[in-house]
Amino acid sequence: HTSVEMSIVEGLRGLYADVRHQPSFSKKCQRSLHLSWTACTEIVRITAAIPYAWRAARIHKQHSRKKSPSHYDDNNNNSIDDDDVLLLPAVPYGSHKRQVADIWLPPRSLSESNEDANNEGGAGKNRPMCLFIHGGVWSSGEAWHYAPMARCLAQHGIITAVMTYRLFPETGAKGQAADVCAALAWCASQVAQTHNGDAENIALVGHSAGAHLCALALCAKAASLSNLVDDDSILKKASRVQPRRFVSLNGVFDIPSHYEYERRRGVESLSTMKRAMGDSHEAMAALSPSLILRGESKCADADSLSGRRTTRLFSRALNKDKKDKDKDKDTMAPSSIAARFPDETYFLTALGDTTVPFVESVQMHGALQEAGAPHSELLLYPAPNDHGSLVLAWPGGAKHRFGDNNDLAPWSRDLLDIIRHK
């Protein structure tokens, strides 16, 4: 797929630049060997994921065969199995080819479920909604990769939209956060209205880099900076749309700190993270949600970019192309961002994750609490020991049904409970 090819190309570019800047021939050889070993390890990891990819692609193809203008319109459902999930693939929320989302709709039979009375996902109207934002080092990712998870959420009565966004190098984190804002506004209006979703009960769920983009978008929205991209009118509407809850899955929030972690692992040149942020320490700090919040909670230390300086850098990063005669306008008022976060925030993270350590979630959770966010909760899992299982280790069987949680991992059950909670 194009996004995977793009990620590989960008990784090779970073590798070449890293080797070229080594001071001597021997250093170049040593660095080349190290990066080649790292690249081979990554290839082995990707190869090991082929069985999952085949299953996800099969599920995606199976459910996208059926299409209907409205899943719950009795005049358009003759070919739809009442017990089956429906997938509407690649529905556009913007004009770019990657500004699309797969919409997974719950089975019609759930409208007659006994759970209907409890309004926890069984109702044909006012169903809870989930907007999922994938990871992929800001440079890769496809909606079909998450078909097992999305189908399971839909089987439990949740209208689930799995969005894709513009990738680096076509745009950076700022533009990607703008895509999240646009998709959120689209979900709250068009998707909710067309498919009987509850626009006031949307869960914004992000994994890895996707969690960072969610948090960045929420910081911008809270600071009333809807103009993440100049002359994009939909974002002015997006600033007024707020999810009920934000759920992070193995998210990264302190970009300079994570860059140092990647550097110690020797993978910083293969990762596109620094380049997607703006290729400087100042740019990385400006787009780090935990640093922005630490500044507002006055938990800064002398060696970090935080406090009003961090929020000022954040504002400038989002509006760097604008000419503002009043320089004071790019400074945000203290203690305003966290207080305007969603009603509920949850951090789900694996203790054994070596790609994005759990400390990223712990620090972001602490920053929100200290800055006065409405509600923040941290959920730690001793297993799995990898980065992707929270979004990939979901049941693939078509017979999985609402209320059947025996085959779900603990994090899957927790995510379902969080999203379906009214």
Side-chain angles (χ1 to χ4, degrees):
H1 280 74
T2 304
S3 67
V4 176
E5 294 169 358
M6 184 182 300
S7 180
I8 293 173
V9 169
E10 288 304 314
L12 291 175
R13 285 177 179 169
L15 187 152
Y16 174 74
D18 188 323
V19 172
R20 188 182 62 179
H21 285 93
Q22 296 301 314
S24 64
F25 179 75
S26 62
K27 291 288 186 181
K28 292 180 190 292
C29 291
Q30 291 176 12
R31 188 60 174 161
S32 296
L33 288 173
H34 173 77
L35 292 175
S36 297
W37 174 257
T38 302
C40 289
T41 303
E42 183 67 12
I43 290 172
V44 170
R45 186 189 67 81
I46 293 174
T47 303
I50 288 177
Y52 169 84
W54 178 85
R55 180 166 61 93
R58 178 175 56 83
I59 291 173
H60 191 271
K61 182 178 179 180
Q62 170 191 348
H63 288 278
S64 62
R65 289 175 180 172
K66 301 172 182 179
K67 296 183 179 181
S68 170
S70 176
H71 190 34
Y72 304 108
D73 185 345
D74 290 335
N75 296 322
N76 294 291
N77 65 352
N78 292 331
S79 63
I80 300 174
D81 183 352
D82 282 358
D83 293 322
D84 201 7
V85 165
L86 176 71
L87 166 62
L88 303 179
V91 181
Y93 65 85
S95 58
H96 192 274
K97 64 181 179 180
R98 282 196 58 86
Q99 290 176 327
V100 297
D102 286 351
I103 303 176
W104 293 80
L105 300 174
R108 284 172 50 88
S109 60
L110 287 188
S111 63
E112 300 174 359
S113 169
N114 291 333
E115 296 289 336
D116 191 6
N118 295 326
N119 199 20
E120 292 187 346
K125 292 186 181 297
N126 299 323
R127 292 173 179 269
M129 302 175 65
C130 169
L131 175 61
F132 176 77
I133 295 83
H134 66 77
V137 207
W138 295 269
S139 62
S140 67
E142 299 292 342
W144 67 265
H145 295 170
Y146 307 94
M149 179 185 70
R151 182 177 69 173
C152 187
L153 293 177
Q155 286 170 334
H156 284 258
I158 300 165
I159 297 175
T160 304
V162 182
M163 65 170 285
T164 56
Y165 48 86
R166 292 169 294 164
L167 300 173
F168 179 83
E170 186 170 2
T171 191
K174 184 182 75 169
Q176 293 167 348
D179 288 353
V180 173
C181 287
L184 182 60
W186 169 76
C187 275
S189 57
Q190 297 186 35
V191 178
Q193 182 177 3
T194 304
H195 303 293
N196 298 321
D198 187 350
E200 296 183 356
N201 190 16
I202 300 177
L204 184 64
V205 182
H207 173 246
S208 191
H212 165 262
L213 295 176
C214 291
L216 188 61
L218 291 172
C219 285
K221 289 160 69 65
S224 300
L225 292 173
S226 61
N227 50 348
L228 293 174
V229 171
D230 295 340
D231 301 324
D232 194 337
S233 60
I234 192 171
L235 292 175
K236 295 178 180 178
K237 293 181 181 178
S239 65
R240 297 192 296 269
V241 177
Q242 187 80 329
R244 171 71 64 84
R245 52 189 64 89
F246 164 46
V247 184
S248 164
L249 308 172
N250 289 338
V252 53
F253 305 104
D254 185 339
I255 304 300
S257 175
H258 190 64
Y259 177 76
E260 288 302 312
Y261 176 74
E262 288 187 337
R263 188 181 61 80
R264 291 194 297 271
R265 292 176 60 213
V267 299
E268 78 281 5
S269 60
L270 293 173
S271 169
T272 55
M273 180 183 70
K274 182 180 179 182
R275 285 170 280 166
M277 299 302 132
D279 215 14
S280 71
H281 183 88
E282 185 174 89
M284 289 191 293
L287 300 179
S288 296
S290 63
L291 291 185
I292 296 164
L293 291 164
R294 269 185 222 152
E296 297 214 334
S297 63
K298 302 176 182 175
C299 294
D301 58 58
D303 298 323
S304 66
L305 281 170
S306 51
R308 292 182 71 86
R309 173 163 169 73
T310 303
T311 55
R312 185 164 61 249
L313 288 170
F314 174 55
S315 182
R316 286 177 178 174
L318 295 178
N319 299 279
K320 64 180 180 180
D321 298 324
K322 292 179 178 286
K323 296 180 179 179
D324 195 337
K325 295 181 181 179
D326 183 1
K327 294 183 179 180
D328 291 335
K329 288 183 179 179
D330 66 1
T331 301
M332 300 174 196
S335 303
S336 61
I337 295 179
R340 296 174 186 169
F341 248 62
D343 293 342
E344 302 171 18
T345 300
Y346 299 88
F347 297 95
L348 281 63
T349 184
L351 292 173
D353 185 0
T354 57
T355 302
V356 178
F358 72 92
V359 68
E360 287 280 341
S361 295
V362 172
Q363 291 178 349
M364 181 67 176
H365 165 67
L368 275 174
Q369 285 191 318
E370 292 165 357
H375 174 85
S376 181
E377 190 170 334
L378 178 67
L379 290 84
L380 302 173
Y381 302 95
N385 294 320
D386 62 85
H387 184 59
S389 288
L390 266 62
V391 290
L392 302 181
W394 287 71
K399 294 183 178 180
H400 183 87
R401 286 292 179 260
F402 179 82
D404 181 12
N405 294 341
N406 294 329
D407 57 345
L408 295 180
W411 57 86
S412 301
R413 291 195 295 268
D414 289 342
L415 182 59
L416 280 168
D417 290 342
I418 289 169
I419 297 174
R420 291 172 54 222
H421 176 68
K422 183 70 173 177

